[in-house]
PDB file of all heavy atoms in Angstrom:
ATOM      1  N   ILE A  17       1.318  -5.903  10.200  1.00 97.00           N
ATOM      2  CA  ILE A  17       0.549  -6.934   9.479  1.00 97.00           C
ATOM      3  C   ILE A  17       0.963  -7.013   8.016  1.00 97.00           C
ATOM      4  O   ILE A  17       0.507  -7.885   7.291  1.00 97.00           O
ATOM      5  CB  ILE A  17      -0.978  -6.696   9.588  1.00 97.00           C
ATOM      6  CG1 ILE A  17      -1.370  -5.399   8.863  1.00 97.00           C
ATOM      7  CG2 ILE A  17      -1.430  -6.700  11.037  1.00 97.00           C
ATOM      8  CD1 ILE A  17      -2.868  -5.218   8.704  1.00 97.00           C
ATOM      9  N   TYR A  18       1.853  -6.089   7.594  1.00 97.00           N
ATOM     10  CA  TYR A  18       2.246  -6.050   6.194  1.00 97.00           C
ATOM     11  C   TYR A  18       3.660  -6.587   6.007  1.00 97.00           C
ATOM     12  O   TYR A  18       4.573  -6.282   6.759  1.00 97.00           O
ATOM     13  CB  TYR A  18       2.184  -4.607   5.672  1.00 97.00           C
ATOM     14  CG  TYR A  18       0.767  -4.066   5.717  1.00 97.00           C
ATOM     15  CD1 TYR A  18       0.434  -3.042   6.598  1.00 97.00           C
ATOM     16  CD2 TYR A  18      -0.224  -4.610   4.927  1.00 97.00           C
ATOM     17  CE1 TYR A  18      -0.852  -2.545   6.657  1.00 97.00           C
ATOM     18  CE2 TYR A  18      -1.526  -4.134   4.971  1.00 97.00           C
ATOM     19  CZ  TYR A  18      -1.819  -3.097   5.859  1.00 97.00           C
ATOM     20  OH  TYR A  18      -3.114  -2.631   5.919  1.00 97.00           O
ATOM     21  N   SER A  19       3.812  -7.382   4.931  1.00 95.00           N
ATOM     22  CA  SER A  19       5.129  -7.899   4.574  1.00 95.00           C
ATOM     23  C   SER A  19       5.897  -6.925   3.691  1.00 95.00           C
ATOM     24  O   SER A  19       7.120  -7.037   3.545  1.00 95.00           O
ATOM     25  CB  SER A  19       4.994  -9.242   3.844  1.00 95.00           C
ATOM     26  OG  SER A  19       4.234  -9.095   2.653  1.00 95.00           O
ATOM     27  N   ARG A  20       5.190  -5.956   3.130  1.00 95.00           N
ATOM     28  CA  ARG A  20       5.837  -4.953   2.269  1.00 95.00           C
ATOM     29  C   ARG A  20       5.006  -3.677   2.308  1.00 95.00           C
ATOM     30  O   ARG A  20       3.794  -3.722   2.207  1.00 95.00           O
ATOM     31  CB  ARG A  20       5.936  -5.471   0.845  1.00 95.00           C
ATOM     32  CG  ARG A  20       6.542  -4.572  -0.170  1.00 95.00           C
ATOM     33  CD  ARG A  20       8.038  -4.698  -0.300  1.00 95.00           C
ATOM     34  NE  ARG A  20       8.412  -6.064  -0.597  1.00 95.00           N
ATOM     35  CZ  ARG A  20       9.621  -6.533  -0.283  1.00 95.00           C
ATOM     36  NH1 ARG A  20      10.494  -5.796   0.292  1.00 95.00           N
ATOM     37  NH2 ARG A  20       9.926  -7.775  -0.582  1.00 95.00           N
ATOM     38  N   ILE A  21       5.690  -2.536   2.450  1.00 95.00           N
ATOM     39  CA  ILE A  21       5.065  -1.215   2.373  1.00 95.00           C
ATOM     40  C   ILE A  21       5.861  -0.431   1.359  1.00 95.00           C
ATOM     41  O   ILE A  21       7.083  -0.352   1.439  1.00 95.00           O
ATOM     42  CB  ILE A  21       5.072  -0.484   3.746  1.00 95.00           C
ATOM     43  CG1 ILE A  21       4.308  -1.308   4.784  1.00 95.00           C
ATOM     44  CG2 ILE A  21       4.454   0.899   3.599  1.00 95.00           C
ATOM     45  CD1 ILE A  21       4.458  -0.787   6.201  1.00 95.00           C
ATOM     46  N   VAL A  22       5.172   0.153   0.372  1.00 94.00           N
ATOM     47  CA  VAL A  22       5.862   0.843  -0.734  1.00 94.00           C
ATOM     48  C   VAL A  22       5.284   2.251  -0.918  1.00 94.00           C
ATOM     49  O   VAL A  22       4.071   2.422  -1.020  1.00 94.00           O
ATOM     50  CB  VAL A  22       5.714   0.056  -2.052  1.00 94.00           C
ATOM     51  CG1 VAL A  22       6.412   0.766  -3.193  1.00 94.00           C
ATOM     52  CG2 VAL A  22       6.230  -1.372  -1.899  1.00 94.00           C
ATOM     53  N   ALA A  23       6.180   3.235  -0.953  1.00 92.00           N
ATOM     54  CA  ALA A  23       5.797   4.604  -1.293  1.00 92.00           C
ATOM     55  C   ALA A  23       5.701   4.678  -2.810  1.00 92.00           C
ATOM     56  O   ALA A  23       6.699   4.464  -3.495  1.00 92.00           O
ATOM     57  CB  ALA A  23       6.827   5.577  -0.761  1.00 92.00           C
ATOM     58  N   VAL A  24       4.514   4.925  -3.320  1.00 92.00           N
ATOM     59  CA  VAL A  24       4.324   4.882  -4.768  1.00 92.00           C
ATOM     60  C   VAL A  24       4.023   6.238  -5.397  1.00 92.00           C
ATOM     61  O   VAL A  24       3.873   6.337  -6.607  1.00 92.00           O
ATOM     62  CB  VAL A  24       3.175   3.896  -5.144  1.00 92.00           C
ATOM     63  CG1 VAL A  24       3.610   2.469  -4.930  1.00 92.00           C
ATOM     64  CG2 VAL A  24       1.890   4.208  -4.388  1.00 92.00           C
ATOM     65  N   GLY A  25       3.966   7.288  -4.597  1.00 88.00           N
ATOM     66  CA  GLY A  25       3.594   8.575  -5.159  1.00 88.00           C
ATOM     67  C   GLY A  25       2.094   8.717  -5.183  1.00 88.00           C
ATOM     68  O   GLY A  25       1.355   7.971  -4.535  1.00 88.00           O
ATOM     69  N   ASN A  26       1.600   9.633  -5.973  1.00 88.00           N
ATOM     70  CA  ASN A  26       0.179   9.955  -6.013  1.00 88.00           C
ATOM     71  C   ASN A  26      -0.549   9.076  -7.024  1.00 88.00           C
ATOM     72  O   ASN A  26      -0.900   9.503  -8.111  1.00 88.00           O
ATOM     73  CB  ASN A  26       0.029  11.447  -6.373  1.00 88.00           C
ATOM     74  CG  ASN A  26      -1.386  11.863  -6.558  1.00 88.00           C
ATOM     75  OD1 ASN A  26      -2.293  11.199  -6.092  1.00 88.00           O
ATOM     76  ND2 ASN A  26      -1.585  12.956  -7.247  1.00 88.00           N
ATOM     77  N   VAL A  27      -0.766   7.804  -6.699  1.00 89.00           N
ATOM     78  CA  VAL A  27      -1.453   6.901  -7.627  1.00 89.00           C
ATOM     79  C   VAL A  27      -2.973   7.038  -7.572  1.00 89.00           C
ATOM     80  O   VAL A  27      -3.661   6.585  -8.474  1.00 89.00           O
ATOM     81  CB  VAL A  27      -1.073   5.421  -7.411  1.00 89.00           C
ATOM     82  CG1 VAL A  27       0.390   5.188  -7.694  1.00 89.00           C
ATOM     83  CG2 VAL A  27      -1.442   4.927  -6.037  1.00 89.00           C
ATOM     84  N   ALA A  28      -3.501   7.662  -6.513  1.00 89.00           N
ATOM     85  CA  ALA A  28      -4.955   7.760  -6.346  1.00 89.00           C
ATOM     86  C   ALA A  28      -5.544   9.039  -6.911  1.00 89.00           C
ATOM     87  O   ALA A  28      -6.749   9.220  -6.890  1.00 89.00           O
ATOM     88  CB  ALA A  28      -5.331   7.622  -4.874  1.00 89.00           C
ATOM     89  N   GLY A  29      -4.699   9.957  -7.399  1.00 84.00           N
ATOM     90  CA  GLY A  29      -5.211  11.167  -8.012  1.00 84.00           C
ATOM     91  C   GLY A  29      -5.456  12.305  -7.058  1.00 84.00           C
ATOM     92  O   GLY A  29      -6.070  13.303  -7.440  1.00 84.00           O
ATOM     93  N   SER A  30      -5.002  12.212  -5.818  1.00 78.00           N
ATOM     94  CA  SER A  30      -5.176  13.298  -4.864  1.00 78.00           C
ATOM     95  C   SER A  30      -3.961  14.231  -4.946  1.00 78.00           C
ATOM     96  O   SER A  30      -3.145  14.121  -5.840  1.00 78.00           O
ATOM     97  CB  SER A  30      -5.335  12.742  -3.452  1.00 78.00           C
ATOM     98  OG  SER A  30      -4.151  12.086  -3.045  1.00 78.00           O
ATOM     99  N   SER A  31      -3.822  15.110  -3.968  1.00 75.00           N
ATOM    100  CA  SER A  31      -2.698  16.045  -4.007  1.00 75.00           C
ATOM    101  C   SER A  31      -1.519  15.587  -3.158  1.00 75.00           C
ATOM    102  O   SER A  31      -0.539  16.308  -3.035  1.00 75.00           O
ATOM    103  CB  SER A  31      -3.163  17.415  -3.519  1.00 75.00           C
ATOM    104  OG  SER A  31      -3.555  17.325  -2.157  1.00 75.00           O
ATOM    105  N   ALA A  32      -1.590  14.419  -2.554  1.00 83.00           N
ATOM    106  CA  ALA A  32      -0.512  13.942  -1.674  1.00 83.00           C
ATOM    107  C   ALA A  32      -0.086  12.537  -2.070  1.00 83.00           C
ATOM    108  O   ALA A  32      -0.802  11.820  -2.777  1.00 83.00           O
ATOM    109  CB  ALA A  32      -0.987  13.951  -0.242  1.00 83.00           C
ATOM    110  N   GLY A  33       1.089  12.149  -1.588  1.00 87.00           N
ATOM    111  CA  GLY A  33       1.600  10.828  -1.874  1.00 87.00           C
ATOM    112  C   GLY A  33       0.808   9.730  -1.199  1.00 87.00           C
ATOM    113  O   GLY A  33       0.206   9.942  -0.148  1.00 87.00           O
ATOM    114  N   ASP A  34       0.802   8.567  -1.809  1.00 92.00           N
ATOM    115  CA  ASP A  34       0.068   7.408  -1.317  1.00 92.00           C
ATOM    116  C   ASP A  34       1.030   6.266  -0.995  1.00 92.00           C
ATOM    117  O   ASP A  34       2.186   6.276  -1.437  1.00 92.00           O
ATOM    118  CB  ASP A  34      -0.924   6.916  -2.373  1.00 92.00           C
ATOM    119  CG  ASP A  34      -1.884   7.997  -2.835  1.00 92.00           C
ATOM    120  OD1 ASP A  34      -2.335   8.799  -2.005  1.00 92.00           O
ATOM    121  OD2 ASP A  34      -2.163   8.057  -4.053  1.00 92.00           O
ATOM    122  N   LEU A  35       0.539   5.287  -0.263  1.00 94.00           N
ATOM    123  CA  LEU A  35       1.266   4.069   0.045  1.00 94.00           C
ATOM    124  C   LEU A  35       0.481   2.873  -0.436  1.00 94.00           C
ATOM    125  O   LEU A  35      -0.748   2.911  -0.444  1.00 94.00           O
ATOM    126  CB  LEU A  35       1.461   3.902   1.548  1.00 94.00           C
ATOM    127  CG  LEU A  35       2.309   4.877   2.314  1.00 94.00           C
ATOM    128  CD1 LEU A  35       2.301   4.513   3.805  1.00 94.00           C
ATOM    129  CD2 LEU A  35       3.714   4.900   1.788  1.00 94.00           C
ATOM    130  N   ILE A  36       1.200   1.817  -0.794  1.00 96.00           N
ATOM    131  CA  ILE A  36       0.557   0.520  -0.944  1.00 96.00           C
ATOM    132  C   ILE A  36       1.206  -0.410   0.075  1.00 96.00           C
ATOM    133  O   ILE A  36       2.365  -0.234   0.435  1.00 96.00           O
ATOM    134  CB  ILE A  36       0.657  -0.046  -2.368  1.00 96.00           C
ATOM    135  CG1 ILE A  36       2.114  -0.177  -2.828  1.00 96.00           C
ATOM    136  CG2 ILE A  36      -0.147   0.772  -3.360  1.00 96.00           C
ATOM    137  CD1 ILE A  36       2.279  -0.957  -4.110  1.00 96.00           C
ATOM    138  N   ALA A  37       0.434  -1.357   0.563  1.00 97.00           N
ATOM    139  CA  ALA A  37       0.930  -2.289   1.558  1.00 97.00           C
ATOM    140  C   ALA A  37       0.385  -3.673   1.227  1.00 97.00           C
ATOM    141  O   ALA A  37      -0.786  -3.836   0.910  1.00 97.00           O
ATOM    142  CB  ALA A  37       0.486  -1.863   2.952  1.00 97.00           C
ATOM    143  N   ARG A  38       1.273  -4.666   1.302  1.00 98.00           N
ATOM    144  CA  ARG A  38       0.882  -6.048   1.045  1.00 98.00           C
ATOM    145  C   ARG A  38       0.836  -6.813   2.350  1.00 98.00           C
ATOM    146  O   ARG A  38       1.813  -6.822   3.106  1.00 98.00           O
ATOM    147  CB  ARG A  38       1.888  -6.716   0.094  1.00 98.00           C
ATOM    148  CG  ARG A  38       1.503  -8.154  -0.264  1.00 98.00           C
ATOM    149  CD  ARG A  38       2.533  -8.812  -1.117  1.00 98.00           C
ATOM    150  NE  ARG A  38       3.770  -8.994  -0.361  1.00 98.00           N
ATOM    151  CZ  ARG A  38       4.956  -9.234  -0.929  1.00 98.00           C
ATOM    152  NH1 ARG A  38       5.073  -9.298  -2.232  1.00 98.00           N
ATOM    153  NH2 ARG A  38       6.027  -9.402  -0.174  1.00 98.00           N
ATOM    154  N   ASP A  39      -0.305  -7.439   2.630  1.00 97.00           N
ATOM    155  CA  ASP A  39      -0.412  -8.211   3.871  1.00 97.00           C
ATOM    156  C   ASP A  39       0.182  -9.600   3.669  1.00 97.00           C
ATOM    157  O   ASP A  39       0.607  -9.967   2.568  1.00 97.00           O
ATOM    158  CB  ASP A  39      -1.845  -8.243   4.401  1.00 97.00           C
ATOM    159  CG  ASP A  39      -2.828  -8.995   3.525  1.00 97.00           C
ATOM    160  OD1 ASP A  39      -2.438  -9.874   2.734  1.00 97.00           O
ATOM    161  OD2 ASP A  39      -4.046  -8.698   3.642  1.00 97.00           O
ATOM    162  N   ASN A  40       0.249 -10.369   4.742  1.00 95.00           N
ATOM    163  CA  ASN A  40       0.903 -11.686   4.684  1.00 95.00           C
ATOM    164  C   ASN A  40       0.157 -12.701   3.825  1.00 95.00           C
ATOM    165  O   ASN A  40       0.736 -13.698   3.401  1.00 95.00           O
ATOM    166  CB  ASN A  40       1.106 -12.220   6.104  1.00 95.00           C
ATOM    167  CG  ASN A  40       2.143 -11.413   6.854  1.00 95.00           C
ATOM    168  OD1 ASN A  40       3.130 -10.965   6.288  1.00 95.00           O
ATOM    169  ND2 ASN A  40       1.903 -11.196   8.138  1.00 95.00           N
ATOM    170  N   ALA A  41      -1.106 -12.444   3.513  1.00 97.00           N
ATOM    171  CA  ALA A  41      -1.888 -13.301   2.628  1.00 97.00           C
ATOM    172  C   ALA A  41      -1.692 -12.941   1.162  1.00 97.00           C
ATOM    173  O   ALA A  41      -2.219 -13.600   0.274  1.00 97.00           O
ATOM    174  CB  ALA A  41      -3.364 -13.253   2.998  1.00 97.00           C
ATOM    175  N   GLY A  42      -0.948 -11.845   0.891  1.00 97.00           N
ATOM    176  CA  GLY A  42      -0.739 -11.423  -0.497  1.00 97.00           C
ATOM    177  C   GLY A  42      -1.731 -10.417  -1.015  1.00 97.00           C
ATOM    178  O   GLY A  42      -1.715 -10.093  -2.201  1.00 97.00           O
ATOM    179  N   VAL A  43      -2.605  -9.894  -0.164  1.00 98.00           N
ATOM    180  CA  VAL A  43      -3.574  -8.886  -0.572  1.00 98.00           C
ATOM    181  C   VAL A  43      -2.893  -7.516  -0.546  1.00 98.00           C
ATOM    182  O   VAL A  43      -2.213  -7.171   0.428  1.00 98.00           O
ATOM    183  CB  VAL A  43      -4.821  -8.893   0.334  1.00 98.00           C
ATOM    184  CG1 VAL A  43      -5.798  -7.784  -0.045  1.00 98.00           C
ATOM    185  CG2 VAL A  43      -5.507 -10.254   0.278  1.00 98.00           C
ATOM    186  N   LEU A  44      -3.072  -6.750  -1.613  1.00 98.00           N
ATOM    187  CA  LEU A  44      -2.490  -5.425  -1.720  1.00 98.00           C
ATOM    188  C   LEU A  44      -3.548  -4.387  -1.354  1.00 98.00           C
ATOM    189  O   LEU A  44      -4.689  -4.460  -1.791  1.00 98.00           O
ATOM    190  CB  LEU A  44      -1.970  -5.163  -3.138  1.00 98.00           C
ATOM    191  CG  LEU A  44      -1.013  -3.991  -3.302  1.00 98.00           C
ATOM    192  CD1 LEU A  44       0.274  -4.239  -2.546  1.00 98.00           C
ATOM    193  CD2 LEU A  44      -0.727  -3.748  -4.775  1.00 98.00           C
ATOM    194  N   TRP A  45      -3.114  -3.400  -0.543  1.00 98.00           N
ATOM    195  CA  TRP A  45      -3.996  -2.345  -0.040  1.00 98.00           C
ATOM    196  C   TRP A  45      -3.442  -0.988  -0.422  1.00 98.00           C
ATOM    197  O   TRP A  45      -2.236  -0.790  -0.471  1.00 98.00           O
ATOM    198  CB  TRP A  45      -4.110  -2.427   1.475  1.00 98.00           C
ATOM    199  CG  TRP A  45      -4.656  -3.730   1.973  1.00 98.00           C
ATOM    200  CD1 TRP A  45      -3.939  -4.857   2.291  1.00 98.00           C
ATOM    201  CD2 TRP A  45      -6.022  -4.060   2.199  1.00 98.00           C
ATOM    202  NE1 TRP A  45      -4.781  -5.860   2.674  1.00 98.00           N
ATOM    203  CE2 TRP A  45      -6.067  -5.396   2.637  1.00 98.00           C
ATOM    204  CE3 TRP A  45      -7.210  -3.359   2.051  1.00 98.00           C
ATOM    205  CZ2 TRP A  45      -7.254  -6.037   2.969  1.00 98.00           C
ATOM    206  CZ3 TRP A  45      -8.393  -3.985   2.373  1.00 98.00           C
ATOM    207  CH2 TRP A  45      -8.425  -5.308   2.817  1.00 98.00           C
ATOM    208  N   LEU A  46      -4.334  -0.033  -0.673  1.00 97.00           N
ATOM    209  CA  LEU A  46      -3.957   1.344  -0.979  1.00 97.00           C
ATOM    210  C   LEU A  46      -4.290   2.219   0.220  1.00 97.00           C
ATOM    211  O   LEU A  46      -5.395   2.159   0.752  1.00 97.00           O
ATOM    212  CB  LEU A  46      -4.736   1.847  -2.199  1.00 97.00           C
ATOM    213  CG  LEU A  46      -4.612   3.352  -2.517  1.00 97.00           C
ATOM    214  CD1 LEU A  46      -3.195   3.702  -2.935  1.00 97.00           C
ATOM    215  CD2 LEU A  46      -5.612   3.736  -3.598  1.00 97.00           C
ATOM    216  N   TYR A  47      -3.312   3.022   0.626  1.00 96.00           N
ATOM    217  CA  TYR A  47      -3.517   4.051   1.642  1.00 96.00           C
ATOM    218  C   TYR A  47      -3.346   5.407   0.950  1.00 96.00           C
ATOM    219  O   TYR A  47      -2.233   5.791   0.585  1.00 96.00           O
ATOM    220  CB  TYR A  47      -2.500   3.916   2.778  1.00 96.00           C
ATOM    221  CG  TYR A  47      -2.825   2.797   3.728  1.00 96.00           C
ATOM    222  CD1 TYR A  47      -2.364   1.500   3.495  1.00 96.00           C
ATOM    223  CD2 TYR A  47      -3.590   3.023   4.859  1.00 96.00           C
ATOM    224  CE1 TYR A  47      -2.652   0.473   4.366  1.00 96.00           C
ATOM    225  CE2 TYR A  47      -3.885   2.001   5.737  1.00 96.00           C
ATOM    226  CZ  TYR A  47      -3.423   0.727   5.499  1.00 96.00           C
ATOM    227  OH  TYR A  47      -3.705  -0.298   6.367  1.00 96.00           O
TER     228      TYR A  47
END
């Protein structure tokens, strides 16, 4: 469902790496 998935590192402040994903409507999500 995502047009782009990006490994961004630890942007959420936890101890592990995070992902961001952009859906086809242009909404960006944090995992």
Side-chain angles (χ1 to χ4, degrees):
I17 65 169
Y18 298 112
S19 60
R20 180 89 56 206
I21 300 170
V22 180
V24 289
N26 175 21
V27 296
S30 65
S31 64
D34 305 321
L35 294 178
I36 57 170
R38 182 183 67 197
D39 66 24
N40 291 323
V43 177
L44 196 65
W45 300 90
L46 171 66
Y47 284 88

